[in-house]
Amino acid sequence: MNVTECLKTRRSIRKYKPDPVDHSIIDSIVSSASYSPSWKNTQITRYTAIENSSLLSEIADKFTPDYNSNIIRQAPLLIAVTFIKGRCGYERDGSFTTKKQDRWQMFDVGAACQNFCLEAWNHGLGTVIMGVFDEDGISELLDIPDGQELGALIAAGYPDIAPDAPKRKSVEQLLQYR
């Protein structure tokens, strides 16, 4: 699959087949996602692959709203995407480089999540990035280290649906030249 095809055919998938995802595929996806750009090449993004059905159920039941818990309950894989805090947006002396301050860390995590999802699609997996969850509860459940923060959850698996592409804005709406 070429890059353009991958970009144009990847969808947010919210229904999965129960088939497990082989660890070699997950490893390959993370390896490719590691090439995501990051602030001063800090490479702060980390991944926790959750396959354990009792952990998935607990996350779905206790730490996510219904619209996300319904996805998690039937996904064979959930990726907790974390980042190392305090590295993006800073100079060596600890001051912020730009007025965006430390918000660069979420920018970096977003780029890594997109690369993860595109490479997953390249392997035939569907994904959906979720941002609404009880961050503290999931962080405690997964024993996320103090120096890291939970940025997103990605449900993944073999798609059990094939949604059409949503309508896209035109280039004229998205782009301006000066």
mmCIF file of all heavy atoms in Angstrom, residues 34 38 70 74 106-107 117 135 143:
data_model
loop_
_atom_site.group_PDB
_atom_site.id
_atom_site.type_symbol
_atom_site.label_atom_id
_atom_site.label_comp_id
_atom_site.label_asym_id
_atom_site.label_seq_id
_atom_site.Cartn_x
_atom_site.Cartn_y
_atom_site.Cartn_z
ATOM 1 N N SER A 34 8.027 4.521 15.770
ATOM 2 C CA SER A 34 9.169 5.160 16.446
ATOM 3 C C SER A 34 9.855 6.195 15.551
ATOM 4 O O SER A 34 10.647 6.999 16.041
ATOM 5 C CB SER A 34 10.181 4.114 16.921
ATOM 6 O OG SER A 34 10.950 3.611 15.842
ATOM 7 N N SER A 38 9.619 14.219 16.603
ATOM 8 C CA SER A 38 9.434 14.652 17.992
ATOM 9 C C SER A 38 10.348 15.848 18.267
ATOM 10 O O SER A 38 11.356 16.044 17.595
ATOM 11 C CB SER A 38 9.737 13.509 18.963
ATOM 12 O OG SER A 38 11.077 13.089 18.883
ATOM 13 N N ASN A 70 -17.848 0.657 24.990
ATOM 14 C CA ASN A 70 -18.424 -0.286 24.033
ATOM 15 C C ASN A 70 -17.389 -0.737 23.001
ATOM 16 O O ASN A 70 -17.411 -1.881 22.557
ATOM 17 C CB ASN A 70 -19.637 0.332 23.325
ATOM 18 C CG ASN A 70 -20.802 0.525 24.273
ATOM 19 O OD1 ASN A 70 -20.927 -0.172 25.281
ATOM 20 N ND2 ASN A 70 -21.659 1.473 23.963
ATOM 21 N N GLN A 74 -15.068 -5.013 23.055
ATOM 22 C CA GLN A 74 -14.979 -6.022 22.003
ATOM 23 C C GLN A 74 -13.699 -5.942 21.181
ATOM 24 O O GLN A 74 -13.519 -6.692 20.232
ATOM 25 C CB GLN A 74 -16.230 -5.980 21.111
ATOM 26 C CG GLN A 74 -16.685 -4.615 20.641
ATOM 27 C CD GLN A 74 -15.926 -4.118 19.436
ATOM 28 O OE1 GLN A 74 -15.764 -4.849 18.470
ATOM 29 N NE2 GLN A 74 -15.456 -2.896 19.484
ATOM 30 N N MET A 106 2.055 16.797 23.723
ATOM 31 C CA MET A 106 0.843 16.215 23.136
ATOM 32 C C MET A 106 0.905 16.255 21.610
ATOM 33 O O MET A 106 0.364 15.372 20.945
ATOM 34 C CB MET A 106 -0.406 16.931 23.646
ATOM 35 C CG MET A 106 -0.793 16.515 25.055
ATOM 36 S SD MET A 106 -1.058 14.721 25.270
ATOM 37 C CE MET A 106 -2.531 14.457 24.314
ATOM 38 N N PHE A 107 1.565 17.245 21.056
ATOM 39 C CA PHE A 107 1.773 17.287 19.609
ATOM 40 C C PHE A 107 2.578 16.059 19.186
ATOM 41 O O PHE A 107 2.217 15.362 18.229
ATOM 42 C CB PHE A 107 2.501 18.581 19.224
ATOM 43 C CG PHE A 107 2.712 18.748 17.756
ATOM 44 C CD1 PHE A 107 1.756 19.363 16.964
ATOM 45 C CD2 PHE A 107 3.873 18.277 17.150
ATOM 46 C CE1 PHE A 107 1.950 19.507 15.596
ATOM 47 C CE2 PHE A 107 4.074 18.417 15.789
ATOM 48 C CZ PHE A 107 3.105 19.041 15.006
ATOM 49 N N CYS A 117 -1.339 4.332 13.883
ATOM 50 C CA CYS A 117 -2.589 3.938 13.225
ATOM 51 C C CYS A 117 -2.397 3.679 11.732
ATOM 52 O O CYS A 117 -2.993 2.745 11.179
ATOM 53 C CB CYS A 117 -3.656 5.004 13.447
ATOM 54 S SG CYS A 117 -4.217 5.090 15.167
ATOM 55 N N GLU A 135 -7.989 9.408 33.288
ATOM 56 C CA GLU A 135 -6.529 9.307 33.181
ATOM 57 C C GLU A 135 -5.894 8.781 34.458
ATOM 58 O O GLU A 135 -5.031 7.898 34.418
ATOM 59 C CB GLU A 135 -5.958 10.677 32.822
ATOM 60 C CG GLU A 135 -4.489 10.689 32.607
ATOM 61 C CD GLU A 135 -3.970 12.058 32.218
ATOM 62 O OE1 GLU A 135 -4.717 12.863 31.636
ATOM 63 O OE2 GLU A 135 -2.788 12.326 32.511
ATOM 64 N N ASP A 143 -0.166 1.013 36.369
ATOM 65 C CA ASP A 143 1.084 1.334 37.059
ATOM 66 C C ASP A 143 2.019 2.150 36.156
ATOM 67 O O ASP A 143 3.200 1.829 36.013
ATOM 68 C CB ASP A 143 1.759 0.053 37.554
ATOM 69 C CG ASP A 143 2.797 0.325 38.636
ATOM 70 O OD1 ASP A 143 2.690 1.360 39.330
ATOM 71 O OD2 ASP A 143 3.735 -0.485 38.763
#
